[in-house]
C-alpha cells in the first residue's frame, strides 16, 4: 500500500490574516501529533514545505505559487495532492480526508 502523504505548506512568518492562529511549524507539529495518535502512522508520510524555499517537484512548486499569489492562505494542508485545510485547518476535515484515502483509526 502506498503511503498517504500529508503536506503542510507554510513559512516562518505568520500569514497576515492568521493573527492569533498558530504558526505553520506549530500547525505541522500539532497535526502530526494528533494524526499519529488516531491513526497508524506507518501508512502516513508527513512533510513540511517552506513556501520561500520549496523543493523542485512540480506539485510543491504549484501549491507554493498559489499561496504566493494569495489564492490560498498558509499554513496549507494537502493530503495526496488535495487541499483539505488552509489558514487554521480543522482536524475533523483532515481526518475525513484521511479516511477517504482508506486510512482507518487505530483502536
Amino acid at each position: 500500500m502506498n503511503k498517504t502523504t500529508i503536506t503542510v505548506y507554510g513559512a516562518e512568518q505568520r500569514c497576515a490574516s492568521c493573527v492569533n492562529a498558530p504558526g505553520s511549524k506549530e500547525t505541522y507539529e500539532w497535526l502530526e501529533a494528533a494524526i499519529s495518535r488516531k491513526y497508524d502512522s506507518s501508512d502516513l508520510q508527513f512533510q513540511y514545505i517552506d513556501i520561500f524555499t520549496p523543493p523542485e517537484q512540480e506539485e510543491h512548486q504549484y501549491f507554493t505559487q498559489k499561496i504566493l499569489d494569495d489564492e490560498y492562505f498558509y499554513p496549507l494542508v494537502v493530503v495526496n495532492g488535495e487541499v483539505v485545510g488552509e489558514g487554521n485547518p480543522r482536524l475533523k476535515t483532515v481526518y475525513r480526508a484521511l479516511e477517504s484515502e482508506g486510512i482507518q483509526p487505530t483502536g
Side-chain angles (χ1 to χ4, degrees), residues 1-6 31-32 34-47 79-80 98-99 101-104:
M1 176 175 163
N2 288 338
K3 288 187 179 247
T4 296
T5 304
I6 299 144
L31 275 174
E32 184 175 20
I35 291 167
S36 295
R37 276 194 300 274
K38 184 167 177 133
Y39 301 93
D40 179 3
S41 59
S42 67
D43 293 334
L44 304 172
Q45 176 180 326
F46 295 89
Q47 56 186 356
V79 174
N80 284 353
L98 292 174
E99 289 169 17
E101 293 288 330
I103 304 296
Q104 294 303 310

Side-chain angles (χ1 to χ4, degrees), residues 44-64:
L44 304 172
Q45 176 180 326
F46 295 89
Q47 56 186 356
Y48 177 82
I49 305 294
D50 186 303
I51 61 173
F52 296 112
T53 56
E56 291 297 316
Q57 287 122 315
E58 193 175 326
E59 179 178 324
H60 299 317
Q61 294 286 322
Y62 171 81
F63 283 116
T64 297

